[in-house]
Structures are given as structure tokens and as C-alpha cells.
């Protein structure tokens, strides 16, 4: 399992995304001096994730990547909307600077769905072009096997019906990994879990690894090996609902999402009496799952 040290580049984005955190608009992108100081202060700089708003908005991004490389970073992952990667010059500057891992946020298979989330007309075409550029580059002779592309899809009520087509689109672009992350407390959990399970099966049929976030294993029967919280469990002292008592996953599952149970939505979650995947998951945890994070 690869654990990344996250470095937040600042609060500003390049769109008005409906599923991203609300940033303090009075703040500016953090400057190179402050960010370099953060890099130098990292206890283990081997794996660094650059995130925060829209990371490519930071004018010092390439210099920061170079600084992280000098500090000893072997893997530098960039979290991005992918819009600026539509520009070959910008993409090549990042690649040559030492960034070879990209996680691109996309919200649908068509402009209507994606741009309802981003709030920016034309953002879908830019993100799609960025993904296509990455696909072209990763398949070229010079960079083949050295570029890793993941896609992050925020699962919301608004894009639920478009989820399977979105995964099919991403598979056609040759992404290496797809993350399906729950967003919003108004999401119907049982229905969403079924759609997410179907979407992950489509990914598997296209030989693309996928994981889901925010969906506990009791809702993902048959897809437990793709539940991110089981592959990289986080310790939690929060009290679990009564429905979790006696669950096969009780010691490795953090329980249902707190924002759902706090609003009385715990009845959808039921203990799993037995699972054919439990021992395999425990084995992966002991080894350190190579699929948990890249």
C-alpha cells in the first residue's frame, strides 16, 4: 500500500465545482517559499500528492515538483481537473519536471452531466482532451509504462444515471484506475451502491482496476475487494450503529458514513454474517495491497 504525504497547494480552483469543498476566496495560491518549506518538513517525502483547489493553477507548480524531486520524492501524484492538461505544452512541462502520476476528476460521460457539477461551460471538452493527451503520451515509445493515470468520479444524485457510461468512457481512454467516491448526504445509499457495483463490473470487464469510497462493504456484496476503506482502513473511535454488531468486517471496517448515520440513515446498513472475501482482504492488508492506492 502506498501512503502519500499530501501537500495542499491552495484554495483556488479553475471552475465553480459543486462537489468540491468551499474555499475561502480571500486566500491566494500558496507561494513557492511556503510550499517548499512544507516539502522540506515532510518526514518521509518519498511519495507526495499535490492537491488543493486546482493544483495546476499554481504558477510555481513545476518548480515545486523539482523541489520535491530534489528532496527525494520518487512518486509525485497530481490531483487535477485535467483541464490544463489539454495544453500539450503544460502537460509536457509537468512530465519533464518529474510528475508521472495523475488523478483526473471527471463527473460524467457528457457535457451536460459534467458541467452541471463544474459550473463551467466547456470544462468537459477540456478534461476529456487532457485525458486523451495523457493516454496518447502513456502509449508512446518514450513514455510507455512510466505514466500512471487514474480518474476520480464523484458519485452524486445528479450523475448516478450516467455513472456506467462514464466508466465505459474512461475505460476507452485507457486509464489505469478509477475511483468512485460518494459525494453528498442526499445520495440514496442502497440504490447508489447497486449502480456503483455495476459500474465497477464494467470497469473489470474492460480490465481496469476500480475502487469505491464512502460505501461500506455491507452495501457492496460481491464487490468487497474494491471497497477502499477495507483496502486501506483508517482507525475510528466513533461508535458504530447497532446493525454493525456481529459483522464479519467489524474489526477492519470503519462503519457507515457518519454524515449519513447522523441524519438517521443507518437502517440501510446490516451486519455481514459471513464473506468469502474476508480472508483474502486480510491477506492483502498484511501484504500491503498494491491496488489500494497509486
Amino acid at each position: 500500500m502506498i501512503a502519500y504525504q499530501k501537500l495542499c497547494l491552495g484554495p483556488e480552483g479553475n471552475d465553480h465545482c459543486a462537489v468540491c469543498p468551499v474555499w475561502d476566496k480571500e486566500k491566494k495560491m500558496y507561494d513557492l517559499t511556503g510550499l517548499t518549506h512544507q516539502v522540506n518538513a515532510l518526514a518521509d517525502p518519498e511519495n507526495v500528492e499535490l492537491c488543493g483547489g486546482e493544483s495546476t493553477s499554481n504558477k510555481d507548480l513545476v518548480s515545486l515538483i523539482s523541489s520535491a524531486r530534489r528532496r527525494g520524492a520518487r512518486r509525485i501524484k497530481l490531483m487535477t481537473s485535467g483541464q490544463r492538461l489539454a495544453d500539450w505544452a503544460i502537460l509536457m512541462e509537468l512530465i519533464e519536471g518529474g510528475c508521472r502520476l495523475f488523478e483526473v476528476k471527471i463527473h460524467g460521460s457528457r457535457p451536460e452531466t459534467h458541467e452541471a457539477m463544474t459550473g463551467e461551460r466547456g470544462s468537459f471538452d477540456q478534461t476529456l482532451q487532457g485525458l486523451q493527451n495523457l493516454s496518447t503520451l502513456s502509449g508512446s515509445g518514450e513514455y510507455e509504462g512510466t505514466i500512471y493515470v487514474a480518474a476520480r468520479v464523484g458519485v452524486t444524485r445528479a450523475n448516478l444515471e450516467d455513472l456506467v457510461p462514464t466508466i465505459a468512457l474512461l475505460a476507452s481512454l485507457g486509464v489505469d484506475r478509477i475511483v468512485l467516491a460518494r459525494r453528498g448526504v442526499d445520495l440514496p445509499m442502497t440504490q447508489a451502491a447497486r449502480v456503483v457495483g455495476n459500474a465497477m463490473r464494467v470497469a473489470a470487464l474492460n480490465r481496469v482496476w476500480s475502487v469505491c469510497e464512502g460505501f461500506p462493504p455491507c452495501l457492496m456484496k460481491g464487490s468487497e475487494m474494491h471497497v477502499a476503506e477495507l483496502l486501506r482502513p483508517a482507525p475510528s473511535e466513533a461508535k458504530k450503529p447497532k446493525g454493525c454488531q456481529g459483522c464479519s468486517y467489524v474489526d477492519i471496517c470503519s462503519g457507515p458514513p457518519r454524515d449519513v448515520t447522523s441524519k438517521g440513515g443507518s437502517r440501510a446498513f446490516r451486519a455481514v454474517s459471513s464473506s468469502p472475501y474476508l480472508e483474502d482482504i486480510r491477506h492483502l492488508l498484511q501484504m500491503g495491497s498494491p491496488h489500494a492506492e497509486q
Side-chain angles (χ1 to χ4, degrees):
M1 185 186 304
I2 300 174
Y4 281 86
Q5 300 286 322
K6 293 190 177 183
L7 189 63
C8 182
L9 304 190
E12 294 181 357
N14 61 354
D15 48 34
H16 307 284
C17 187
V19 296
C20 292
V22 177
W23 301 104
D24 181 352
K25 297 302 181 182
E26 297 301 317
K27 293 182 179 179
K28 303 298 181 183
M29 298 301 286
Y30 306 145
D31 62 28
L32 181 60
T33 301
L35 289 169
T36 301
H37 178 73
Q38 291 184 53
V39 170
N40 291 335
L42 292 175
D44 182 5
E46 183 176 10
N47 307 305
V48 177
E49 178 182 317
L50 304 177
C51 57
E54 174 46 49
S55 54
T56 58
S57 295
N58 194 302
K59 62 181 177 60
D60 296 317
L61 179 58
V62 176
S63 297
L64 181 64
I65 291 171
S66 298
S67 178
R69 296 286 288 183
R70 289 194 298 271
R71 179 72 172 80
R74 292 181 54 209
R75 300 179 186 87
I76 300 174
K77 180 167 72 172
L78 187 67
M79 187 77 73
T80 174
S81 71
Q83 290 176 235
R84 286 182 170 84
L85 305 185
D87 186 321
W88 270 108
I90 292 175
L91 176 57
M92 290 307 301
E93 190 176 18
L94 292 169
I95 293 289
E96 294 300 325
C99 182
R100 300 293 175 92
L101 285 79
F102 298 85
E103 189 160 307
V104 178
K105 294 173 283 187
I106 187 168
H107 310 290
S109 69
R110 55 185 189 271
E112 297 82 6
T113 309
H114 180 86
E115 291 169 13
M117 302 288 183
T118 66
E120 183 178 358
R121 189 173 183 179
S123 59
F124 176 76
D125 288 340
Q126 291 175 332
T127 295
L128 193 61
Q129 186 61 58
L131 284 165
Q132 288 172 334
N133 287 351
L134 284 167
S135 177
T136 299
L137 202 59
S138 63
S140 66
E142 183 178 357
Y143 297 102
E144 187 174 5
T146 67
I147 297 174
Y148 187 93
V149 183
R152 174 170 288 269
V153 184
V155 181
T156 70
R157 182 185 287 271
N159 70 356
L160 199 57
E161 292 184 359
D162 193 35
L163 205 58
V164 171
T166 301
I167 271 48
L169 171 65
L170 292 169
S172 73
L173 291 169
V175 301
D176 298 292
R177 177 175 176 263
I178 298 172
V179 182
L180 297 162
R182 182 185 66 88
R183 293 287 182 268
V185 296
D186 65 336
L187 190 66
M189 290 294 291
T190 303
Q191 177 191 356
R194 284 197 297 267
V195 177
V196 167
N198 289 337
M200 292 195 296
R201 281 187 279 277
V202 170
L205 287 171
N206 286 275
R207 304 173 71 86
V208 180
W209 179 255
S210 63
V211 295
C212 62
E213 295 178 353
F215 294 92
C218 57
L219 294 183
M220 302 305 300
K221 292 180 180 179
S223 298
E224 292 94 327
M225 296 290 289
H226 299 265
V227 175
E229 287 81 359
L230 293 185
L231 296 175
R232 52 171 189 268
S236 174
E237 297 181 359
K239 187 176 181 180
K240 296 177 182 177
K242 290 183 179 179
C244 293
Q245 295 177 3
C247 182
S248 298
Y249 295 108
V250 68
D251 60 332
I252 57 175
C253 175
S254 57
R258 303 291 175 260
D259 58 347
V260 175
T261 56
S262 65
K263 295 183 180 298
S266 61
R267 285 183 292 181
F269 309 101
R270 293 288 182 270
V272 177
S273 58
S274 63
S275 170
Y277 305 102
L278 183 58
E279 291 308 312
D280 288 337
I281 291 172
R282 290 187 188 282
H283 183 63
L284 284 173
L285 291 175
Q286 292 173 356
M287 293 178 58
S289 171
H291 294 302
E293 189 166 355
Q294 179 63 281

